[in-house]
Amino acid sequence: MSIKVQRILNIAMVLISLSTVPLMGLQNIKRFLPVSILIGVIEVMNALIGNKRKWWVFYNKPNSYLFNEFPFNIGVFLVISLWLMKWSYGNFIKFILFNAIGNAFFAYPFAKFARKIKYFTLVRMNHLQFFFYFFSKVFFFYGFQYLFEKYKKPN
């Protein structure tokens, strides 16, 4: 994949994802955005570690967080986390199931497709480990939201 195509794909990924946020409703955005941002910050740190340890490699240069992982974090992951919370918060089993399905899709068919089009590839991590890399954060995500709701001040 050329750098130009990757830039277009990155921009499209972010814009398409963020364009769905207004459909969620302002109340849901206010309710779930703080925890989604917190998980996003944790994911930034994990992505920097993963990049340094070569858990995955993006084919095109520059090999920087901003060019490679950032579009996933600010676009797809942030927005999907908001939608998953909206659809399933309050039902832990449903939340876990939705996240397992989403993470499995990203770890298996999407990661294989990304390798095929030379976007990124897993290097020191297999698909199952990649799945658990994402899935392990699901419990923190739900727990943070639970604590946030428990201790937030009423309006």
Side-chain angles (χ1 to χ4, degrees):
M1 169 184 304
S2 70
I3 291 175
K4 184 176 181 179
V5 171
Q6 184 174 347
R7 284 191 178 137
I8 292 169
L9 185 60
N10 287 350
I11 291 168
M13 188 170 27
V14 171
L15 291 178
I16 291 169
S17 297
L18 291 177
S19 71
T20 68
V21 171
L23 303 172
M24 189 176 303
L26 188 57
Q27 193 65 24
N28 289 312
I29 295 168
K30 283 187 201 179
R31 181 179 179 194
F32 300 125
L33 188 60
V35 174
S36 294
I37 290 173
L38 177 63
I39 292 296
V41 169
I42 291 170
E43 183 55 36
V44 167
M45 291 185 288
N46 285 337
L48 294 173
I49 292 167
N51 199 5
K52 185 176 181 179
R53 292 185 178 181
K54 299 276 189 239
W55 290 344
W56 53 80
V57 172
F58 283 81
Y59 285 94
N60 287 325
K61 306 295 181 219
N63 196 6
S64 69
Y65 169 78
L66 195 61
F67 186 69
N68 294 326
E69 289 94 350
F70 184 71
F72 284 100
N73 288 343
I74 195 68
V76 178
F77 295 149
L78 176 71
V79 174
I80 287 177
S81 69
L82 286 167
W83 278 106
L84 288 173
M85 279 302 226
K86 178 187 184 311
W87 289 331
S88 62
Y89 184 73
N91 184 337
F92 185 69
I93 301 297
K94 188 176 181 181
F95 182 77
I96 295 299
L97 182 64
F98 281 1
N99 274 282
I101 292 167
N103 292 332
F105 174 78
F106 190 75
Y108 290 95
F110 183 78
K112 287 181 180 186
F113 176 72
R115 182 178 185 171
K116 186 174 184 175
I117 64 170
K118 297 193 184 278
Y119 189 47
F120 72 87
T121 188
L122 300 177
V123 178
R124 293 189 176 155
M125 188 178 276
N126 63 37
H127 292 282
L128 184 62
Q129 291 168 327
F130 197 48
F131 167 78
F132 282 116
Y133 164 77
F134 287 112
F135 190 70
S136 64
K137 297 173 206 126
V138 168
F139 302 97
F140 293 113
F141 189 32
Y142 197 90
F144 287 146
Q145 183 64 35
Y146 175 80
L147 292 174
F148 182 75
E149 298 227 346
K150 184 176 179 181
Y151 294 109
K152 81 176 180 180
K153 295 177 184 175
N155 291 338

